[in-house]
Amino acid sequence: KAGVTQTPRYLIKTRGQQVTLSCSPISGHRSVSWYQQTPGQGLQFLFEYFSETQRNKGNFPGRFSGRQFSNSRSEMNVSTLELGDSALYLCASSLNVAGGSSYNEQFFGPGTRLTVL
Amino acid sequence: GEDVEQSLFLSVREGDSSVINCTYTDSSSTYLYWYKQEPGAGLQLLTYIFSNMDMKQDQRLTVLLNKKDKHLSLRIADTQTGDSAIYFCAERDRDDKIIFGKGTRLHILP
């Protein structure tokens, strides 16, 4: 079974531009979560999508948005890029969003390294 | 808000045991996880523990959970050079969000 794929792997943008990152989850997985990883802040949760609906959202400004398509593929968009948006953006997929009995393992992609100049 | 804390660095001699510690604040966490990140790669789930368990062992890995103190630890027995990585502690909170610590970089000394 193919793993989580993210495109592109590397991206260089300038301040003020916008960027779209793509994530293809493992086949059959319906939940996709996005994280921002930086040396100073570690891994911070951006949002989670399940069946094309945003189920959870972290504490990021409205410049960060996402969506999920009917095939579970997800995109995240960052508008008006700032220098501080330079980070590794990780996508993770899981089989479902469930509380209680399921440990709900998340499978991570390799990430997209975004550099903002 | 919820927070997960862990020390940033740990150095261990090859063959010794590594113990990585973590504290969390959300007493309603359902699951706690340990993830491993190798250079240039995403995170990989190593092991997890349900909140009503005290201990879980899986080959060289032992997870201890002290729910009263909100303390989680990961012990790696017979540490090898391949264990060199960043280890993330994480909890699933009451809203099903996964909250990660900043990661502990494990360095193996020869």
Side-chain angles (χ1 to χ4, degrees):
Chain A
K1 203 184 244 191
V4 177
T5 57
Q6 292 186 246
T7 56
R9 291 294 311 276
Y10 302 92
L11 205 48
I12 299 175
K13 292 283 188 179
T14 55
R15 275 182 299 174
Q17 286 187 308
Q18 68 98 26
V19 68
T20 299
L21 311 182
S22 181
C23 171
S24 292
I26 290 172
S27 177
H29 284 194
R30 297 168 66 191
S31 170
V32 173
S33 297
W34 288 90
Y35 297 86
Q36 182 195 64
Q37 185 178 16
T38 58
Q41 297 298 318
L43 262 162
Q44 292 190 287
F45 173 76
L46 278 154
F47 26 66
E48 178 195 11
Y49 286 87
F50 179 73
S51 292
E52 301 178 67
T53 302
Q54 187 180 85
R55 185 180 181 273
N56 266 313
K57 190 176 188 307
N59 297 321
F60 277 81
R63 299 186 297 109
F64 292 80
S65 63
R67 59 179 175 165
Q68 187 180 35
F69 301 95
S70 57
N71 61 357
S72 294
R73 190 177 70 85
S74 177
E75 288 181 347
M76 68 162 279
N77 185 77
V78 189
S79 62
T80 322
L81 283 165
E82 300 176 1
L83 294 179
D85 297 333
S86 293
L88 180 67
Y89 289 88
L90 291 165
C91 160
S93 76
S94 62
L95 198 57
N96 56 45
V97 174
S101 60
S102 168
Y103 71 94
N104 201 24
E105 179 177 357
Q106 290 193 313
F107 294 82
F108 282 80
T112 294
R113 172 121 1 235
L114 172 65
T115 302
V116 182
L117 303 175
Chain B
E2 304 103 352
D3 199 18
V4 176
E5 300 271 348
Q6 52 184 128
S7 53
L8 295 181
F9 299 100
L10 178 66
S11 289
V12 172
R13 292 211 176 275
E14 190 176 358
D16 287 351
S17 291
S18 305
V19 179
I20 304 172
N21 294 300
C22 167
T23 56
Y24 59 97
T25 56
D26 187 358
S27 57
S28 63
S29 295
T30 53
Y31 285 89
L32 295 120
Y33 309 85
W34 283 104
Y35 280 83
K36 176 182 181 183
Q37 185 179 35
E38 294 181 272
L43 277 69
Q44 175 193 3
L45 180 67
L46 272 181
T47 186
Y48 66 95
I49 188 166
F50 189 46
S51 58
N52 68 353
M53 297 168 65
D54 298 323
M55 187 184 89
K56 181 178 180 183
Q57 188 148 5
D58 184 2
Q59 298 182 332
R60 292 191 298 124
L61 305 178
T62 304
V63 178
L64 294 177
L65 175 60
N66 182 327
K67 203 171 177 185
K68 175 175 164 290
D69 294 338
K70 300 193 194 73
H71 182 268
L72 183 74
S73 68
L74 173 70
R75 179 176 177 269
I76 305 172
D78 187 24
T79 309
Q80 303 297 308
T81 54
D83 295 325
S84 182
I86 302 176
Y87 291 82
F88 291 89
C89 169
E91 60 158 350
R92 192 203 300 184
D93 72 5
R94 68 195 78 187
D95 297 321
D96 264 351
K97 293 199 302 290
I98 311 292
I99 310 297
F100 285 85
K102 292 187 179 178
T104 299
R105 186 179 293 275
L106 177 62
H107 178 60
I108 313 302
L109 301 166

